[in-house]
Amino acid sequence: MKLGRLNHIGVATPSIADSIIYWRDVMGAAHISEPFDMPEQGVKVCFVDTPNHGAMNGTQIELIEPLNSDSLIHGFLAKNPLGGQHHICFEVPDIMAAKAEFEALGKRILGEPRIGAHGTMIFFVHPKDMGGMLTEIMESPKS
Ligand code: CO
């Protein structure tokens, strides 16, 4: 594994609408995407941009709200009613190569690689194998 760009920090929230107000009015975020549903994951998501650095896009904040009580985020919010930091996401050039490398190190991959909110393949690695951090690995967008 070669550490890639920090693509986003996932933040769980009981209300994306309220979180958008916070990021806009308290933190001064100028670019916030329209929220959209990802029904297969049981979540609604929305991205808050942080400023760009050079040619690279800035790291984003991914706001995640549960769509129903089956959502994994639902359990997180039961323990953390205000929401909060949920996962961190790093980019890799090749998702299947990264999966093989983590597995060779004995790290537990949660489910199979799947299409993430940015339209590229992602997987999650178990927080207990990652210093307590739920870690999302995402293939870099090609363009
Ligand atoms: Co994410």
Side-chain angles (χ1 to χ4, degrees):
M1 168 74 183
K2 183 171 177 297
L3 185 64
R5 191 168 79 89
L6 176 59
N7 181 279
H8 65 264
I9 297 169
V11 173
T13 173
S15 166
I16 279 184
D18 289 349
S19 290
I20 286 173
I21 293 168
Y22 165 79
W23 283 96
R24 188 190 62 206
D25 293 352
V26 178
M27 298 302 284
H31 299 284
I32 302 176
S33 79
E34 277 300 312
F36 59 97
D37 291 353
M38 297 188 72
E40 60 287 351
Q41 321 291 347
V43 294
K44 179 193 292 274
V45 303
C46 164
F47 287 95
V48 178
D49 290 353
T50 67
N52 293 353
H53 300 283
M56 299 293 263
N57 292 323
T59 297
Q60 292 177 310
I61 306 298
E62 177 186 37
L63 300 174
I64 316 159
E65 177 186 322
L67 284 176
N68 53 56
S69 56
D70 296 334
S71 169
L72 285 179
I73 296 289
H74 182 80
F76 182 89
L77 287 173
K79 288 184 215 138
N80 307 277
L82 293 175
Q85 189 178 317
H86 179 261
H87 67 269
I88 53 175
C89 176
F90 293 100
E91 291 183 16
V92 295
D94 181 330
I95 196 81
M96 296 314 285
K99 178 174 185 274
E101 287 163 6
F102 279 112
E103 286 175 336
L105 293 170
K107 307 299 182 189
R108 285 167 287 179
I109 308 300
L110 301 172
E112 287 299 310
R114 54 191 176 273
I115 298 287
H118 286 89
T120 69
M121 297 293 281
I122 63 109
F123 62 79
F124 285 90
V125 191
H126 200 297
K128 288 195 173 149
D129 296 342
M130 301 296 282
M133 289 169 286
L134 177 59
T135 303
E136 179 180 358
I137 301 297
M138 167 186 161
E139 190 159 285
S140 297
K142 294 300 179 224
S143 58

